[in-house]
Amino acid sequence: MEGTDQFAFNKSRAEGRDKKGRSLELKERKLNPVSTTCYVQILGTGMDTHDTSPSILLFFDKQRFIFNAGEGLQRYCNEHKIKLSKIDHIFLTRVCSETAGGLPGLVLTMAGIGEEGISVNIWGPSDLDFLLGAMRSFIPRKSMLHAHSFGLDQSNYATSSSSRAQDGSSADVIVLIDNEVIRISAMFVRPVNQKISLDSDPDEFLRPGDMSVVYACELPEVKGKFDPVKAASLGLKPGPKYRELQLGKSVKSDSQDKIVNPSDVLGPSIPGPIVLIVDCPTLDHAHNLFSLTCLNGYYKENGKLVNCIIHLGPTAVTSNAEYQQWMMRFGQAQHIMAGHESKNMDNPILQASAKVSSRLNYLCPQIFPVSGFWPNEYDINVIPSDESMDLDASCKVISAENLLKFHLRPISQLGLDRSAIPIKLTHKHIINELLLEIPEIKEISQQISLLWQEPLNGKMMIPPVEKMAPMSEEPWLKQCCLPNDVSMEKRRLETSEDASPPAEGNLRKRFRDYLDAPIPSCLENITREEMEVVFLGTGSAQPSKHRNVSSIYVNLFEKGCLLLDCGEGTLGQLKRRFGVKGADEAVKKLRFIWVSHIHADHHTGLVRILALRSHLLKDVAHKPLLVIGPRPLERFLNAYAGLEDLDMQFLDCRQTMRTLEAVHANEVTSSLFAPGSKMESFKRKPGNPSEAMDVLDRLKEVLSDAGLNSLYSVPVRHCPEAFGLVLEAKDRVSRIAKVSPGWKVVYSGDTRPCPALIEASKNATILIHEATFEDSMTEEAIAKNHSTTKEAIGVGVSAGVYRIILTHFSQRYPKIPIVDEVNVGKTCIAFDLMSVNLADLPALPKVLPYLKQLFRNETVPDDEMDDVQVSVMY
């Protein structure tokens, strides 16, 4: 570490020289096929927001298998105390951002558990190689030593473990695991495009990511009941030989000269339970699924009895008449429809987060709007549900619910188990609980509303707030809580003859005190349609049940929108804030995405956003989305683009740096593009020399369309190629031709306090600064190149910014971080889904004391989360 002043930082870590190598080995677990508990369980990530595929847990006493690892899986497991350290195998039904978006973070988290770390077997079709190749750009290879791709490669050559059907059809069956407790085999489903000639080879049109897999999970047969009377008659004494016979082994009689076989003392065996996991993403896949010859042995007319089938396909596929006819071929099997169902959309998956968001909304709806997952937004008739399926009465079908189980062992419990399903959460229930817990919260909420008063006819009026209205579309902002002119109240107080405090006590005096601070000229006559910052993730390292990882959505309204960092779960958070349809619109309107550095908690949600945007705009004329980030991110995206169409252009952050000659020249390595400064092409490895200039021209065009005057990246002290960001808006011209300067927003990314960022933040309207640690943990902050809350506030005070918003809190502070009362006059702390409009800024710091009242009993750090805050993770 260098220095002892306020700019101390861990130089070796910042330069990437502190990485410790270690080999991660698989843990051997002793299996017990006789006495075991086994079930499959729905892990409902994505069911409420349609942002990802649900995961399926196959549970044994000594082994755990997970099928699909979409974004949000870690967060879901944390909330429901599902131990990731117990997972032995992860299987992917398809390889795409929908099914595997959570895999990079999961691998890193497991590598960081305990002293030695944990590795896991990763299984998937040959497309998995594309994903692994991309992940290696930021994940140590040792963390993926046990990844296995199987089936056909993209040249249609069978791998060594593939068993190709004689007729060349898709009748491949690959046995992946076959031990004493489970046999797992894979069968391939390819899309069959009906527009292609029947004489064509469908594999010729197969693209990476198109392959889907049906997994068959077969438990061994249940041995018949042991008969001790028969055993005694055959000369056996009670003891170890009884168990040997139950395990299927022959033994020698104790008193007779003969061998006793298991069939001599066991009753008739019962066939082992069978579960099929079927992912049929499109109707094109369905046509191939129906004709799979390798499934013939599982149909009711051919012998094997399938007990449970979990369908991961969307309702648009599973409600198809042909699909339902195919389902009936399995006889009495229990069908669980785990795809995207309309009935799941009003029940939040992450209940702890939903509870916090709803409480914050009640307290201060001005900056905590109602989340988009509550009812009223959806038309439940748009998507058919499983109740509308036209199936034979003998075909048992239910919709999946969170944590629904189907027991497989012991055989006496075979069937559905709803006991673990969480109680349905409603907004009304949360608020009633809050009022019982903190009765005075109603009065506190009213006091906060006074900070947003609008004078009308000489009287103080509190505009109505529709607390249960869906906030999924932007027009509500025009009607909500603030006057268009935030200086109106200041002028009223200055001219008011009534100097006495109101009945509410000293509230008006406090209101006058904060208004005494000058309001920046860029906020004069500001409207609510100028700019709004929405915090999608405010935690660090890994997702927790209360805070997602880093992502900030900047809404420029009719001028589009931006994303600053894009951690895992960003799309899900957009849908929780704006609703399913509103989030799709937000993704389509993106102007660019800026990523601060290569750590996984800042970018692993990126490919899901890019892939969705590409899909949403596939039939619309558009340009690729501009992604600005550190150079290692480009390697990841280019490698991943072999799997899904990301439809993007990349720009290195170093090409957007502004020369700051007065600030530590050794931290600034090149000049950059920003309006008013010289543009220089950035030399790349082999390629078109004009490519960089073309992308910079595109950036200039994008900034103009977004109403921005400049964008530039600032090198910060965290890790190699870590940056902060400065955004400056164009001047505003009013209807009477009055010119007001544009706003300025600075985002720190992850960093120690550093002179370059202070200089770049001078006179900013908003500084969004990381505050990972509390003030008593300065040594940890220096060691990991993060900031404490006091240090983050100090950066803003030194730079003379108008408002400071703290974010990126350690997950050891589950709901609210520890913030000293000193120097918080300009400061607020961020929460997930918090929305700060420019017009809210004058009142913003006054909200912090009230937030502390809401969480007054919950400021004790969660020391259990310290176990996952290790350097190997992110």
Side-chain angles (χ1 to χ4, degrees):
M1 299 177 194
E2 286 200 348
T4 56
D5 60 14
Q6 61 177 320
F7 302 124
F9 71 107
N10 185 338
K11 185 176 180 180
S12 62
R13 186 178 181 88
E15 294 176 354
R17 294 186 285 106
D18 67 331
K19 297 177 181 178
K20 299 178 181 178
R22 59 179 176 177
S23 179
L24 302 180
E25 301 298 331
L26 291 171
K27 291 191 175 181
E28 295 293 332
R29 304 186 194 275
K30 188 175 181 180
L31 306 179
N32 183 353
V34 174
S35 176
T36 186
T37 298
C38 177
Y39 56 79
V40 286
Q41 186 172 32
I42 306 296
L43 307 184
T45 55
M47 291 172 64
D48 60 338
T49 55
H50 293 191
D51 64 304
T52 190
S53 173
S55 297
I56 309 299
L57 171 66
L58 175 59
F59 176 96
F60 288 89
D61 292 328
K62 301 294 184 180
Q63 280 191 309
R64 310 283 193 277
F65 305 83
I66 280 187
F67 296 84
N68 289 344
E71 292 186 20
L73 176 60
Q74 279 192 81
R75 202 173 179 197
Y76 187 88
C77 290
N78 287 340
E79 177 158 344
H80 296 288
K81 302 188 184 305
I82 297 169
K83 293 185 177 181
L84 298 175
S85 60
K86 300 292 185 181
I87 297 172
D88 297 285
H89 301 268
I90 299 173
F91 297 88
L92 301 179
T93 60
R94 285 176 288 133
V95 184
C96 60
S97 55
E98 182 184 359
T99 59
L103 187 60
L106 187 62
V107 168
L108 284 168
T109 295
M110 297 186 72
I113 292 176
E115 292 295 326
E116 299 178 357
I118 296 174
S119 189
V120 64
N121 281 293
I122 304 169
W123 301 83
S126 55
D127 301 337
L128 178 63
D129 295 334
F130 286 96
L131 177 61
L132 297 178
M135 288 168 59
R136 287 188 181 107
S137 65
F138 66 94
I139 293 180
R141 184 178 294 268
K142 60 181 176 291
S143 298
M144 296 182 290
L145 287 175
H146 307 286
H148 316 274
S149 62
F150 54 83
L152 304 179
D153 62 22
Q154 290 306 307
S155 301
N156 295 323
Y157 289 106
T159 62
S160 59
S161 59
S162 174
S163 176
R164 186 82 164 140
Q166 291 183 357
D167 61 358
S169 70
S170 56
D172 311 21
V173 179
I174 301 175
V175 177
L176 305 176
I177 293 178
D178 192 1
N179 58 35
E180 53 264 57
V181 298
I182 189 71
R183 175 188 172 100
I184 299 179
S185 53
M187 295 161 272
F188 298 108
V189 182
R190 300 168 177 78
V192 178
N193 192 325
Q194 299 303 296
K195 297 179 182 178
I196 297 176
S197 168
L198 295 176
D199 297 329
S200 302
D201 181 356
D203 286 343
E204 293 180 6
F205 301 91
L206 194 65
R207 300 169 301 175
D210 278 349
M211 185 80 75
S212 182
V213 177
V214 173
Y215 288 103
C217 306
E218 303 178 60
L219 275 65
E221 66 179 9
V222 180
K223 301 295 183 181
K225 187 176 180 181
F226 182 80
D227 190 336
V229 176
K230 284 187 178 180
S233 68
L234 293 172
L236 288 174
K237 298 178 181 179
K241 291 183 179 181
Y242 278 21
R243 178 172 175 77
E244 293 292 310
L245 287 165
Q246 292 179 65
L247 291 174
K249 299 177 182 179
S250 298
V251 299
K252 190 175 186 309
S253 173
D254 293 318
S255 59
Q256 301 178 21
D257 186 19
K258 62 187 303 184
I259 297 297
V260 180
N261 298 309
S263 58
D264 297 331
V265 295
L266 298 177
S269 297
I270 302 173
I274 299 175
V275 175
L276 298 182
I277 297 175
V278 180
D279 185 359
C280 186
T282 70
L283 289 175
D284 286 342
H285 286 82
H287 295 297
N288 184 234
L289 175 66
F290 304 153
S291 61
L292 286 183
T293 57
C294 53
L295 279 174
N296 288 345
Y298 297 94
Y299 296 136
K300 62 181 179 181
E301 64 268 19
N302 294 328
K304 284 188 179 179
L305 175 63
V306 177
N307 301 89
C308 178
I309 304 176
I310 300 174
H311 301 266
L312 300 179
T315 314
V317 173
T318 58
S319 62
N320 176 270
E322 286 185 77
Y323 194 96
Q324 294 175 19
Q325 287 295 319
W326 175 76
M327 289 168 59
M328 287 191 284
R329 296 189 65 183
F330 294 95
Q332 294 292 318
Q334 175 67 67
H335 296 271
I336 301 177
M337 315 311 291
H340 297 150
E341 305 279 346
S342 59
K343 67 182 295 181
N344 293 319
M345 293 161 62
D346 63 351
N347 191 23
I349 300 294
L350 303 174
Q351 293 198 354
S353 175
K355 185 175 179 180
V356 169
S357 296
S358 296
R359 287 176 163 226
L360 287 167
N361 165 254
Y362 181 86
L363 180 70
C364 184
Q366 293 82 4
I367 59 174
F368 298 104
V370 171
S371 296
F373 50 62
W374 297 115
N376 302 330
E377 178 195 340
Y378 311 106
D379 179 358
I380 61 173
N381 296 317
V382 172
I383 305 174
S385 64
D386 52 82
E387 281 82 358
S388 65
M389 290 185 171
D390 185 18
L391 295 169
D392 186 275
S394 63
C395 192
K396 299 179 289 186
V397 180
I398 64 164
S399 281
E401 295 183 72
N402 303 321
L403 303 182
L404 174 69
K405 293 179 182 179
F406 188 93
H407 279 282
L408 304 171
R409 288 276 198 270
I411 203 70
S412 60
Q413 297 180 13
L414 185 69
L416 292 169
D417 177 3
R418 298 176 179 270
S419 61
I421 296 175
I423 297 174
K424 186 171 181 178
L425 193 68
T426 66
H427 187 87
K428 182 178 180 180
H429 171 78
I430 294 170
I431 300 310
N432 288 341
E433 185 182 69
L434 173 62
L435 292 172
L436 288 174
E437 180 183 333
I438 311 176
E440 63 271 26
I441 201 70
K442 185 174 183 179
E443 181 181 351
I444 293 174
S445 177
Q446 293 171 351
Q447 291 176 352
I448 290 177
S449 295
L450 295 178
L451 299 176
W452 273 271
Q453 291 183 97
E454 180 177 8
L456 183 64
N457 297 328
K459 297 181 180 179
M460 302 301 291
M461 301 295 292
I462 302 176
V465 178
E466 298 295 335
K467 293 186 179 179
M468 284 305 296
M471 299 299 183
S472 58
E473 297 181 358
E474 295 163 5
W476 73 274
L477 294 167
K478 301 176 183 178
Q479 308 165 10
C480 198
C481 310
L482 288 187
N484 286 339
D485 186 350
V486 297
S487 64
M488 193 179 299
E489 176 63 6
K490 179 178 180 180
R491 293 198 301 269
R492 193 196 68 79
L493 284 174
E494 290 172 347
T495 58
S496 173
E497 295 180 359
D498 179 14
S500 60
E504 292 82 2
N506 204 29
L507 188 63
R508 177 181 289 193
K509 180 179 183 301
R510 285 183 284 154
F511 195 32
R512 185 195 301 272
D513 288 343
Y514 91 80
L515 285 173
D516 284 341
I519 294 178
S521 54
C522 66
L523 296 183
E524 293 287 343
N525 302 306
I526 199 75
T527 68
R528 294 195 67 84
E529 290 76 43
E530 180 69 20
M531 190 272 282
E532 183 171 77
V533 178
V534 180
F535 291 87
L536 301 177
T538 57
S540 66
Q542 70 168 33
S544 75
K545 65 181 182 180
H546 293 115
R547 291 183 185 270
N548 201 50
V549 288
S550 296
S551 184
I552 298 171
Y553 172 79
V554 180
N555 192 353
L556 302 174
F557 300 95
E558 75 276 2
K559 297 183 183 71
C561 55
L562 327 168
L563 276 175
L564 313 182
D565 278 335
C566 196
E568 178 186 337
T570 291
L571 178 59
Q573 291 293 86
L574 277 173
K575 295 193 174 190
R576 291 180 181 96
R577 170 60 183 86
F578 296 109
V580 174
K581 295 178 183 177
D584 286 350
E585 289 302 311
V587 170
K588 289 192 290 186
K589 290 169 55 181
L590 282 170
R591 295 291 187 184
F592 62 81
I593 300 175
W594 182 90
V595 176
S596 62
H597 61 291
I598 195 61
H599 286 172
D601 56 330
H602 290 257
H603 76 83
T604 49
L606 180 57
V607 293
R608 186 77 188 102
I609 293 285
L610 293 174
L612 175 63
R613 179 183 179 273
S614 178
H615 172 74
L616 293 173
L617 297 176
K618 64 181 179 180
D619 298 323
V620 179
H622 67 282
K623 294 182 179 180
L625 185 64
L626 191 61
V627 176
I628 307 168
R631 183 176 50 182
L633 181 63
E634 182 180 20
R635 294 196 292 269
F636 166 67
L637 293 174
N638 287 342
Y640 189 92
L643 187 60
E644 288 186 271
D645 185 7
L646 301 183
D647 193 21
M648 63 91 192
Q649 278 184 297
F650 189 84
L651 180 60
D652 193 322
C653 278
R654 292 181 297 173
Q655 296 170 255
T656 64
M657 290 165 47
R658 170 176 288 172
T659 302
L660 301 173
E661 297 175 356
V663 181
H664 288 250
N666 62 324
E667 290 188 349
V668 183
T669 57
S670 69
S671 61
L672 52 92
F673 166 72
S677 63
K678 183 179 179 182
M679 288 193 299
E680 295 183 2
S681 63
F682 185 86
K683 282 195 172 182
R684 290 170 172 259
K685 290 182 180 179
N688 187 341
S690 65
E691 179 185 355
M693 290 298 295
D694 291 341
V695 180
L696 289 173
D697 287 341
R698 176 73 199 290
L699 173 61
K700 192 173 182 179
E701 173 189 336
V702 166
L703 294 179
S704 178
D705 292 342
L708 297 175
N709 191 50
S710 68
L711 170 155
Y712 59 96
S713 301
V714 182
V716 295
R717 288 171 164 173
H718 180 60
C719 68
E721 298 194 53
F723 297 90
L725 176 69
V726 179
L727 293 173
E728 295 178 324
K730 294 179 180 178
D731 293 346
R732 288 181 293 111
V733 181
S734 70
R735 296 176 183 175
I736 59 174
K738 180 182 178 181
V739 178
S740 299
W743 47 264
K744 177 180 178 180
V745 171
V746 179
Y747 172 46
S748 71
D750 285 8
T751 184
R752 288 289 298 147
C754 61
L757 189 66
I758 293 175
E759 180 68 20
S761 302
K762 281 186 176 178
N763 301 316
T765 316
I766 304 174
L767 169 63
I768 302 169
H769 201 291
E770 73 117 294
T772 309
F773 294 103
E774 62 185 276
D775 295 342
S776 64
M777 301 183 70
T778 303
E779 290 186 5
E780 290 87 343
I782 294 174
K784 297 184 178 181
N785 282 342
H786 285 295
S787 299
T788 66
T789 55
K790 184 177 181 180
E791 290 173 331
I793 294 170
V795 170
V797 172
S798 298
V801 306
Y802 179 60
R803 291 292 180 253
I804 305 164
I805 304 178
L806 304 180
T807 187
H808 196 267
F809 303 110
S810 169
Q811 303 289 16
R812 72 192 302 267
Y813 313 114
K815 294 182 181 178
I816 188 168
I818 298 172
V819 181
D820 286 342
E821 297 294 338
V822 181
N823 294 327
V824 295
K826 297 183 176 184
T827 306
C828 191
I829 57 178
F831 291 83
D832 282 16
L833 308 185
M834 174 176 165
S835 302
V836 180
N837 195 284
L838 277 180
D840 298 332
L841 293 181
L844 192 63
K846 293 299 176 179
V847 176
L848 181 55
Y850 298 109
L851 296 178
K852 290 188 173 184
Q853 285 295 312
L854 182 63
F855 300 108
R856 61 192 181 192
N857 299 322
E858 304 181 61
T859 57
V860 178
D862 183 357
D863 291 331
E864 292 182 5
M865 291 305 297
D866 286 345
D867 296 336
V868 298
Q869 302 287 340
V870 289
S871 59
V872 71
M873 289 176 48
Y874 296 102

